[in-house]
Amino acid sequence: MGMGGEKEQVRYGDYLSRISVSFQKLSYNAITPRPELAPDGTEKPYSPPKVKLRVIDFYHILRPYIGSRLEEQLKAVVPLALYLVCFQTLVLRVNIEDPLVIFAGFVSVIGGLVLFMEGLKVGLMPLGEKLGDSLPAKASLPVFIIITFLIGVGVTFAEPAVGSLNIAGSMIKVENAPYLHALLNKWQWATVAAVGAGVGVSAVLGSLRFVHGWGLKPFILIATLPTLALTVYAMGDDRIKSVIGLAWDCGAVTTGPVTVPIVLSLGIGIARMAGKGDYPLSGFGIVTLASMIPVAAVLALAIYLAETVPAEQIIANANTAETSNSHASGNFFERPPFAEMLEGLQAVAPVVIFLLLIVRFVLREKFKEPQILAYGLTLTLLGMMLFSVGLTYGLSKLGAQYGALAPAAFTRIEGLEGSPLFNWWAGMLATVAFAGLLGFGATVAEPALSAIGMVVEDLTNGVYKKSFLIYSVSFGVGLGVIAGMLKIITGVPLAYLLIPGYALALILTVFSTEEFVNIAWDSAGVTTGEVTVPLVLVMGMGFSGALGIDDGFGILAMASLFPILTTLGAGLWIKWKISRSHL
Amino acid sequence: MKDAFNEKKITALTDVALITCVVQRGMADEVIKAARDAGAQGSTVFYARGYGVRERLGLLGVAVDVEKEVVNIVVSTDQANRIFEKMSVAAKMDTPGMGFMYMTHLDKAVTYIPPEVLEKLQPKC
């Protein structure tokens, strides 16, 4: 080992032992306890004393624990925010309004997500798993269906991105689209409840699918066709035409970080009970249904509203509510940021309490580590409160600003000097391409997608690479965002894009294998996470507001549709390539 | 050395030691990097669950993952102490809840040894 040139030969081991730290030896016998006898002569079971920690130990334990979780959220949020800020200051050359408030908002988003995700992991998820493990065994089928349905409703309210509907609602003028305004303001609870009911039905159907081992293809047909039919019906009704975009966007809102893991853990528990847990994709499918059925539910609610409440009444109601609101700001809880915190608490507390009650009184199970569970649930609540504040002051504020200013690149905007900044085509293309890149970038970094990618690679023995799935889905999201932006700019009704799009998706579905159908339809729901949804939703609202168009929804709907097409297409292409190489 | 009845020859390595290091899920890569930098030639990781200090930390136990990674590294006895030391520093073994590691002496080990190395060390008799 490089000693050849020297005269004196030293054994390598001796050399090493010289440069090493000296080890201090301690007999383990000096530490381990000796058996103690109880007064009656039997041996007492040993219980170790609590560890006494020095301050430095706290630091050493907590630093990697907090650090790794903080890093995860920073990676998800900061690039997106920087990208938007750069576009606004460098391309549009407009300074960020209220930079300190937005900065504080983003700090609160990141802090909130760190707490919420950790709370989800140590609090809500174990509860969901416990439920999934023992509910099918201990409850009869009807009880089981009711509980699953209620959990579906509860998790929808707890979804962080749902809060952004509120903000989007405040950006709509009631005169232009009364029913859309009603669904997002006075009837907002009903909208969320309709979405929740949709998720609940999906959870029940998905669970039954596990128990009986039904394929996903017929379910997709059964869920998609009525939804498309309702969309066509809504198209023909001038009063509720404006609701279509919102309804389809709701599908993307539901499939977030709370719904997916809890509903999945329920489903997996059931699959295990039914003895069908070996099928590697058994968890899939619920997400697909949960992003389709709520759309139908919201459309149905809109149709019901249109039939029962006249538009004039909604406009009158909204106007009186506005005037009374401006007077009632004296109350402590209605002042920001306490209002947002209260909202956050109201969103999560019901599902937490419901899950606890079910596990305690229906399943009669004890919690193994109650203090850790309590810690997790507290974190979930605190995290959601903090996130709600950040949602209003960080994500939405920046998204709305960007959305309102972006059209200045290609069209005239009131109050912005020098607009349009570029000629129509160049500016429009730049803005749309920028948004597309944003969608692509946000999706590539999505951890949920990377997890699905791993499963897919295993399942197809490496034919369908993980990176290939990630890129085909991300490419789809990018295209979808572009399509959504073009829809807003050109004013093409969303249904003209949705109906042929989903028709094509259904055709591709018929020709694809069961595995790919699962993967492709689920990846669409998974891609739109808790940071992207509010940002894109509010950006679209601001964008359309600046262009003088009422309906700013639809970007998320497009961003859910296109990944299905690209993933199914890519799957079929690979299948074709393999079959050709075997000839 | 040549066996008249069997052409196949096995070269067994002696002076080998096994270092086993139990760390929290996700920490193995760092420990392996330290070991490789110090001259370890290979490593095996498997997943496990472990209990110990976590249960004695009370609420602070949430910061310690129950899921563990077990790193197995076979080293030569000359390297052993140095690699053991580097690994224990990289794994921050002096912090509560970080894990456990130990070294055992092995009788012999067999693996692929590049032929040119064999030829250099064992000239034909």
Short mmCIF file of all heavy atoms in Angstrom, two decimals, chain A residues 351-372:
data_model
loop_
_atom_site.label_atom_id
_atom_site.label_comp_id
_atom_site.label_asym_id
_atom_site.label_seq_id
_atom_site.Cartn_x
_atom_site.Cartn_y
_atom_site.Cartn_z
N VAL A 351 -62.85 16.04 11.32
CA VAL A 351 -62.41 14.72 10.88
C VAL A 351 -61.56 14.06 11.96
O VAL A 351 -61.65 12.85 12.20
CB VAL A 351 -61.67 14.78 9.51
CG1 VAL A 351 -60.34 15.43 9.60
CG2 VAL A 351 -61.54 13.38 8.94
N VAL A 352 -60.77 14.87 12.69
CA VAL A 352 -59.96 14.32 13.77
C VAL A 352 -60.86 13.74 14.85
O VAL A 352 -60.69 12.58 15.28
CB VAL A 352 -59.04 15.41 14.35
CG1 VAL A 352 -58.43 14.96 15.67
CG2 VAL A 352 -57.94 15.77 13.37
N ILE A 353 -61.85 14.53 15.27
CA ILE A 353 -62.74 14.07 16.34
C ILE A 353 -63.52 12.83 15.88
O ILE A 353 -63.65 11.85 16.62
CB ILE A 353 -63.70 15.21 16.74
CG1 ILE A 353 -62.89 16.34 17.39
CG2 ILE A 353 -64.77 14.72 17.70
CD1 ILE A 353 -63.65 17.61 17.58
N PHE A 354 -63.97 12.87 14.63
CA PHE A 354 -64.74 11.74 14.10
C PHE A 354 -63.92 10.46 14.10
O PHE A 354 -64.37 9.42 14.59
CB PHE A 354 -65.20 12.08 12.67
CG PHE A 354 -66.01 11.01 12.03
CD1 PHE A 354 -67.30 10.74 12.47
CD2 PHE A 354 -65.50 10.28 10.97
CE1 PHE A 354 -68.04 9.75 11.88
CE2 PHE A 354 -66.25 9.28 10.37
CZ PHE A 354 -67.52 9.02 10.83
N LEU A 355 -62.68 10.55 13.62
CA LEU A 355 -61.83 9.37 13.58
C LEU A 355 -61.56 8.85 14.99
O LEU A 355 -61.62 7.64 15.24
CB LEU A 355 -60.50 9.69 12.89
CG LEU A 355 -60.54 9.82 11.37
CD1 LEU A 355 -59.19 10.25 10.83
CD2 LEU A 355 -60.94 8.49 10.74
N LEU A 356 -61.29 9.77 15.92
CA LEU A 356 -61.01 9.36 17.29
C LEU A 356 -62.22 8.64 17.89
O LEU A 356 -62.07 7.58 18.52
CB LEU A 356 -60.68 10.58 18.16
CG LEU A 356 -59.26 11.13 18.04
CD1 LEU A 356 -59.13 12.40 18.86
CD2 LEU A 356 -58.26 10.09 18.52
N LEU A 357 -63.41 9.21 17.67
CA LEU A 357 -64.62 8.61 18.23
C LEU A 357 -64.85 7.21 17.66
O LEU A 357 -65.17 6.27 18.39
CB LEU A 357 -65.83 9.49 17.95
CG LEU A 357 -65.89 10.79 18.76
CD1 LEU A 357 -67.11 11.61 18.37
CD2 LEU A 357 -65.90 10.49 20.25
N ILE A 358 -64.66 7.08 16.34
CA ILE A 358 -64.89 5.78 15.71
C ILE A 358 -63.94 4.73 16.29
O ILE A 358 -64.34 3.63 16.68
CB ILE A 358 -64.66 5.87 14.18
CG1 ILE A 358 -65.67 6.80 13.55
CG2 ILE A 358 -64.72 4.49 13.55
CD1 ILE A 358 -66.99 6.19 13.28
N VAL A 359 -62.63 5.10 16.35
CA VAL A 359 -61.66 4.12 16.83
C VAL A 359 -61.94 3.76 18.29
O VAL A 359 -61.85 2.60 18.68
CB VAL A 359 -60.22 4.66 16.66
CG1 VAL A 359 -59.22 3.73 17.32
CG2 VAL A 359 -59.89 4.81 15.19
N ARG A 360 -62.33 4.77 19.08
CA ARG A 360 -62.51 4.53 20.50
C ARG A 360 -63.81 3.78 20.80
O ARG A 360 -63.84 2.86 21.59
CB ARG A 360 -62.50 5.90 21.22
CG ARG A 360 -62.35 5.82 22.72
CD ARG A 360 -60.95 5.43 23.12
NE ARG A 360 -60.91 5.05 24.52
CZ ARG A 360 -61.24 3.84 24.96
NH1 ARG A 360 -61.63 2.92 24.12
NH2 ARG A 360 -61.16 3.56 26.25
N PHE A 361 -64.91 4.19 20.12
CA PHE A 361 -66.21 3.64 20.54
C PHE A 361 -66.78 2.59 19.60
O PHE A 361 -67.49 1.70 20.05
CB PHE A 361 -67.21 4.78 20.75
CG PHE A 361 -66.84 5.65 21.90
CD1 PHE A 361 -66.30 6.91 21.70
CD2 PHE A 361 -66.97 5.19 23.20
CE1 PHE A 361 -65.92 7.70 22.77
CE2 PHE A 361 -66.59 5.97 24.28
CZ PHE A 361 -66.06 7.23 24.06
N VAL A 362 -66.49 2.68 18.31
CA VAL A 362 -66.99 1.63 17.41
C VAL A 362 -66.03 0.45 17.41
O VAL A 362 -66.42 -0.70 17.53
CB VAL A 362 -67.21 2.17 15.98
CG1 VAL A 362 -67.68 1.05 15.07
CG2 VAL A 362 -68.23 3.30 16.00
N LEU A 363 -64.74 0.76 17.30
CA LEU A 363 -63.76 -0.33 17.25
C LEU A 363 -63.32 -0.74 18.65
O LEU A 363 -62.76 -1.81 18.83
CB LEU A 363 -62.54 0.10 16.45
CG LEU A 363 -62.80 0.56 15.02
CD1 LEU A 363 -61.49 0.94 14.35
CD2 LEU A 363 -63.48 -0.53 14.22
N ARG A 364 -63.54 0.13 19.63
CA ARG A 364 -63.12 -0.12 21.01
C ARG A 364 -61.65 -0.52 21.10
O ARG A 364 -61.27 -1.46 21.78
CB ARG A 364 -63.97 -1.24 21.64
CG ARG A 364 -65.39 -0.82 21.83
CD ARG A 364 -66.25 -1.96 22.28
NE ARG A 364 -67.65 -1.61 22.13
CZ ARG A 364 -68.28 -0.74 22.92
NH1 ARG A 364 -67.65 -0.15 23.90
NH2 ARG A 364 -69.55 -0.46 22.72
N GLU A 365 -60.82 0.23 20.40
CA GLU A 365 -59.40 -0.04 20.44
C GLU A 365 -58.70 1.00 21.28
O GLU A 365 -59.09 2.16 21.30
CB GLU A 365 -58.82 -0.02 19.02
CG GLU A 365 -59.31 -1.17 18.18
CD GLU A 365 -58.20 -1.81 17.39
OE1 GLU A 365 -57.03 -1.42 17.57
OE2 GLU A 365 -58.51 -2.69 16.60
N LYS A 366 -57.65 0.57 21.98
CA LYS A 366 -56.85 1.53 22.75
C LYS A 366 -55.73 2.04 21.87
O LYS A 366 -55.27 1.34 20.97
CB LYS A 366 -56.26 0.82 23.98
CG LYS A 366 -57.29 0.54 25.04
CD LYS A 366 -56.87 1.20 26.36
CE LYS A 366 -58.01 1.20 27.36
NZ LYS A 366 -58.44 -0.16 27.72
N PHE A 367 -55.29 3.25 22.12
CA PHE A 367 -54.17 3.80 21.36
C PHE A 367 -52.87 3.38 22.02
O PHE A 367 -52.71 3.48 23.22
CB PHE A 367 -54.27 5.32 21.30
CG PHE A 367 -55.58 5.78 20.75
CD1 PHE A 367 -56.48 6.48 21.54
CD2 PHE A 367 -55.93 5.48 19.44
CE1 PHE A 367 -57.69 6.89 21.03
CE2 PHE A 367 -57.14 5.89 18.93
CZ PHE A 367 -58.02 6.59 19.72
N LYS A 368 -51.93 2.92 21.19
CA LYS A 368 -50.71 2.36 21.73
C LYS A 368 -49.83 3.44 22.36
O LYS A 368 -49.32 3.28 23.45
CB LYS A 368 -49.95 1.61 20.64
CG LYS A 368 -49.14 0.45 21.18
CD LYS A 368 -48.69 -0.51 20.08
CE LYS A 368 -47.68 0.13 19.15
NZ LYS A 368 -47.37 -0.66 17.99
N GLU A 369 -49.63 4.52 21.65
CA GLU A 369 -48.79 5.60 22.17
C GLU A 369 -49.61 6.87 22.21
O GLU A 369 -49.48 7.72 21.34
CB GLU A 369 -47.55 5.76 21.29
CG GLU A 369 -46.56 4.64 21.46
CD GLU A 369 -45.44 4.72 20.43
OE1 GLU A 369 -45.72 5.03 19.26
OE2 GLU A 369 -44.29 4.47 20.80
N PRO A 370 -50.48 7.00 23.23
CA PRO A 370 -51.44 8.11 23.20
C PRO A 370 -50.78 9.48 23.12
O PRO A 370 -51.27 10.36 22.45
CB PRO A 370 -52.23 7.94 24.50
CG PRO A 370 -51.46 6.99 25.32
CD PRO A 370 -50.64 6.16 24.41
N GLN A 371 -49.62 9.64 23.81
CA GLN A 371 -49.06 11.00 23.80
C GLN A 371 -48.52 11.34 22.42
O GLN A 371 -48.57 12.50 21.99
CB GLN A 371 -48.02 11.20 24.91
CG GLN A 371 -46.63 10.66 24.67
CD GLN A 371 -46.50 9.22 25.16
OE1 GLN A 371 -47.40 8.40 25.00
NE2 GLN A 371 -45.38 8.90 25.76
N ILE A 372 -48.01 10.33 21.69
CA ILE A 372 -47.49 10.61 20.36
C ILE A 372 -48.65 10.89 19.39
O ILE A 372 -48.57 11.78 18.54
CB ILE A 372 -46.59 9.45 19.88
CG1 ILE A 372 -45.28 9.53 20.66
CG2 ILE A 372 -46.34 9.51 18.38
CD1 ILE A 372 -44.25 8.52 20.29
#
